[in-house]
Amino acid sequence: MKPETAIIRIKNLRLRTYIGIKEDEIQNQQDVIINVVIHYCADKARNSDNVADALNYRTITKKIIALIENNRFSLLENLTNQTLAIASEHDWVEFASVEIDKPHALRFADSVSMELSYQKSAS
């Protein structure tokens, strides 16, 4: 990791959405817990203290909330991938990772989670 890289962590964002394929999952919203990690070059923000020079994690979070609360998903893979697309859409993002937990998805487990990541290709 380069010294100018900043890491944003959005931890335990708790939302409700329709997720799953069973009838009760289709009819009832369920809790999901979202964790996002974003790496970006923060040289400008480190030296300017100007919000325009930083990656705005509030904007990213609002887009994730809108995605999850306003849609239905059959697969955790699809939900995670769409969330990752939001986390990695800005040109400054060098790496992003999204993990989404679906609590109580299995009878004897705390949760089931899916994690996907993005790495900017070297130009």
Side-chain angles (χ1 to χ4, degrees):
M1 185 167 61
K2 298 178 277 188
E4 64 274 9
T5 299
I7 301 173
I8 295 171
R9 296 185 202 291
I10 301 167
K11 298 181 179 183
N12 298 324
L13 179 61
R14 298 173 191 277
L15 302 172
R16 294 183 60 74
T17 193
Y18 295 96
I19 175 76
I21 58 173
K22 295 187 324 190
E23 190 60 35
D24 63 315
E25 294 174 320
I26 294 168
Q27 297 299 322
N28 300 300
Q29 287 189 328
Q30 297 176 70
D31 295 329
V32 290
I33 302 168
I34 298 93
N35 284 283
V36 179
V37 177
I38 300 170
H39 295 206
Y40 81 101
C41 180
D43 262 355
K44 287 183 180 180
R46 284 178 166 199
N47 297 310
S48 77
D49 205 32
N50 182 345
V51 71
D53 293 332
L55 198 57
N56 191 329
Y57 55 82
R58 176 169 281 190
T59 301
I60 294 166
T61 303
K62 284 182 177 182
K63 287 181 180 181
I64 291 170
I65 292 169
L67 168 74
I68 292 173
E69 290 185 342
N70 297 323
N71 289 284
R72 293 175 175 264
F73 308 91
S74 294
L75 299 177
L76 196 51
E77 290 87 345
N78 184 25
L79 170 57
T80 306
N81 188 59
Q82 288 190 49
T83 305
L84 179 63
I86 292 169
S88 61
E89 71 185 357
H90 197 285
D91 288 340
W92 296 351
V93 175
E94 297 166 356
F95 171 85
S97 174
V98 171
E99 181 180 18
I100 300 183
D101 280 85
K102 186 178 170 184
H104 315 297
L106 293 175
R107 185 172 172 193
F108 297 112
D110 292 338
S111 71
V112 171
S113 72
M114 172 64 53
E115 183 172 0
L116 296 173
S117 62
Y118 158 87
Q119 179 74 50
K120 184 181 256 183
S121 58
S123 313

